[in-house]
Amino acid sequence: MVTLFDIEKANQTAFERLQKAEPHIVDLGIACEVIPGMEKNTILHAGPPIDLERMSGPMMGAVTGAVIYEGWADTPHKAIEYLKEKNLAFDPCHHHSAVGPMAGIISPGMPVWIVEDGSSGKRSYATLNEGLGKVLRMGAFDQEVIERLHWMREVLFPVLKAGVERYVEENGGINLKSLISQALHMGDELHNRNRAATSLFIRSLVPYLVESSTDNTSLAKVIRFMAGNDHFFLNPGMAAAKVSLDGVGSVEGSTMVTVMARNGTDFGIQIAGLERRWFTCQAALPDVLLFPGFTRADVNRDIGDSAIMETYGVGGFALAAAPAIVQFVGGTPQDAINYTREMYEICLGENRNFTIPSLNFRGTPTGIDLIKVVETGITPILDTGAAHREAGRGQVGAGIVRMPSEAFVSAATAFTDRYL
């Protein structure tokens, strides 16, 4: 049996490990060649474990697109047949030190960022961001989507890899923690708004892309692609959050949440003191600001590993740093401040590295405490994108969503049974 003092001490250990993490981009690679435990017949997905039969429309759409991208089928119909033959293994990204936004699909031949924590030595992985709208992560799989993915592997990946290798050789890695800290002071919250972070990232990397490039035409296309995609930083930012939280590891007696993730059907969490056990419930139905032409009936249940950003202490928890985000997700700048202030009530502490200018540089609320969530009834908020519930339709909007309480209650019951 542990005491409240033991829990407090364990949480302090977990919180300090998170604060000490130093995530850096160190390379890029092809998924099946660098992600631990990933085979050539494996497709990784967002959220807790799920069978093919229970996958939501956007996840099925993304899986269909991945099958076509890999060349296992050449039409959506044949891709569905291929999937039904059970030739593939499905596993959560989180089981392989990886993360993916929205559907989160990582297939064997996709290029991925490799992020390393200088404190723990652990690594994490994330795909390259496609942009907004009709994209694979939102469940779209038409020819435009597949062609873009092939271009990303054939052109974007080698240009980025060469530039990153040159940067790492001269500087020892791209410091993602520093970029996130700076971006918070420039109006980003690092989940749905990454404009400043993407700009800082491009400014850091472009000289090395130029120096390492042997094809100016490809280089120009790569720079235009990055500059035209304000969310380009999201994926390496997610990998930074993942490797930092993985660095916490298992902490006996800790109630700190280390994973929040959604697969479009289920919402799941993991707790530092309960190892890698999933606690799940039905995913929330986001009440989002819709793009023109869509209705609330079009919205799929919440989906994506990008909740790792809020688990890390940014995203929805840092909304007060990003008043302009309300133009994309709805509400007012005061609402953004109120959301951040509310999140302090369920966190272990304030981040020493990530601060919010509009709150007199107060640290972002960090380290979600399972006990505080259950005792207060306040659950974490996320600012999220929303996918169409039908496969192939893509994004329908963006907004604020509150995580359902049932998973936290289940985890609290398990914690009580084990420790109290």
Side-chain angles (χ1 to χ4, degrees):
M1 177 179 290
V2 300
T3 65
L4 291 177
F5 174 78
D6 294 328
I7 294 173
E8 184 177 344
K9 186 176 180 181
N11 282 338
Q12 183 178 6
T13 296
F15 187 84
E16 286 303 312
R17 288 180 184 176
L18 179 60
Q19 292 285 277
K20 289 178 181 178
E22 294 291 340
H24 289 72
I25 294 175
V26 294
D27 204 351
L28 291 93
I30 298 301
C32 68
E33 298 172 2
V34 297
I35 296 180
M38 186 173 188
E39 304 293 339
K40 291 188 176 180
N41 69 332
T42 303
I43 289 183
L44 306 183
H45 62 78
I50 190 168
D51 296 328
L52 186 69
E53 292 74 16
R54 296 185 63 244
M55 286 184 181
S56 62
M59 186 168 285
M60 276 299 300
V63 170
T64 300
V67 169
I68 297 171
Y69 164 80
E70 293 290 344
W72 298 330
D74 57 8
T75 67
H77 177 72
K78 290 180 181 178
I80 296 297
E81 289 182 346
Y82 186 89
L83 290 167
K84 289 181 178 178
E85 291 171 2
K86 300 189 183 298
N87 292 318
L88 298 174
F90 297 97
D91 213 18
C93 293
H94 277 291
H95 289 186
H96 298 263
S97 303
V99 278
M102 300 306 289
I105 299 303
I106 305 178
S107 64
M110 290 181 177
V112 293
W113 298 104
I114 303 174
V115 174
E116 183 173 285
D117 172 19
S119 176
S120 68
K122 293 180 181 292
R123 287 188 167 189
S124 64
Y125 311 85
T127 51
L128 312 184
N129 193 282
E130 309 158 80
L132 293 176
K134 227 175 182 184
V135 290
L136 187 81
R137 73 178 186 276
M138 296 287 181
F141 53 80
D142 62 17
Q143 185 176 356
E144 177 188 351
V145 173
I146 304 304
E147 287 178 354
R148 184 190 304 114
L149 290 171
H150 284 153
W151 178 84
M152 290 172 69
R153 173 168 177 167
E154 294 162 10
V155 179
L156 179 64
F157 166 62
V159 170
L160 285 176
K161 183 174 175 63
V164 167
E165 287 176 348
R166 191 175 187 93
Y167 186 104
V168 170
E169 182 180 350
E170 295 188 15
N171 304 283
I174 301 174
N175 189 332
L176 295 172
K177 189 175 185 177
S178 175
L179 292 179
I180 290 171
S181 177
Q182 293 175 64
L184 284 168
H185 291 181
M186 298 169 68
D188 281 358
E189 41 67 68
L190 280 304
H191 188 161
N192 250 339
R193 185 177 173 87
N194 286 273
R195 178 171 293 186
T198 296
S199 299
L200 290 167
F201 185 61
I202 292 171
R203 189 178 76 170
S204 299
L205 188 56
V206 161
Y208 300 91
L209 297 180
V210 173
E211 290 173 353
S212 60
S213 176
T214 58
D215 181 351
N216 286 341
T217 299
S218 294
L219 175 63
K221 290 179 179 178
V222 165
I223 294 174
R224 286 195 187 100
F225 180 80
M226 292 191 298
N229 176 9
D230 287 341
H231 278 65
F232 194 75
F233 184 81
L234 173 62
N235 294 38
M238 287 174 57
K242 173 60 178 171
V243 77
S244 300
L245 287 154
D246 275 359
V248 173
S250 296
V251 182
E252 193 75 8
S254 174
T255 57
M256 192 173 90
V257 178
T258 55
V259 171
M260 292 195 297
R262 312 91 84 207
N263 58 30
T265 303
D266 306 315
F267 164 67
I269 63 172
Q270 294 181 3
I271 309 299
L274 295 172
E275 299 170 336
R276 291 187 174 273
R277 181 177 171 186
W278 284 101
F279 299 91
T280 64
C281 64
Q282 187 177 49
L285 189 62
D287 183 13
V288 298
L289 191 63
L290 294 163
F291 295 164
F294 296 108
T295 69
R296 303 216 177 275
D298 296 321
V299 179
N300 193 78
R301 289 194 175 276
D302 200 26
I303 185 169
D305 286 335
S306 53
I308 199 73
M309 301 309 285
E310 282 77 9
T311 318
Y312 188 39
V314 290
F317 285 38
L319 279 170
I325 191 68
V326 299
Q327 294 178 305
F328 189 53
V329 300
T332 67
Q334 186 60 50
D335 290 333
I337 291 172
N338 293 342
Y339 280 129
T340 294
R341 285 177 171 162
E342 184 184 30
M343 293 301 99
Y344 284 114
E345 298 184 41
I346 59 171
C347 285
L348 295 171
E350 298 180 15
N351 204 299
R352 294 194 298 269
N353 305 292
F354 304 148
T355 59
I356 302 174
S358 63
L359 297 182
N360 199 25
F361 293 93
R362 187 177 182 183
T364 64
T366 300
I368 302 167
D369 183 355
L370 175 66
I371 291 176
K372 290 182 179 179
V373 171
V374 174
E375 285 184 344
T376 64
I378 299 170
T379 60
I381 60 102
L382 278 64
D383 50 332
T384 186
H388 200 289
R389 64 184 180 84
E390 296 176 4
R393 299 291 298 276
Q395 187 172 6
V396 300
I400 303 296
V401 60
R402 193 175 289 275
M403 296 300 93
S405 63
E406 292 85 350
F408 295 94
V409 172
S410 296
T413 300
F415 187 91
T416 300
D417 290 343
R418 176 167 175 173
Y419 290 109
L420 302 177

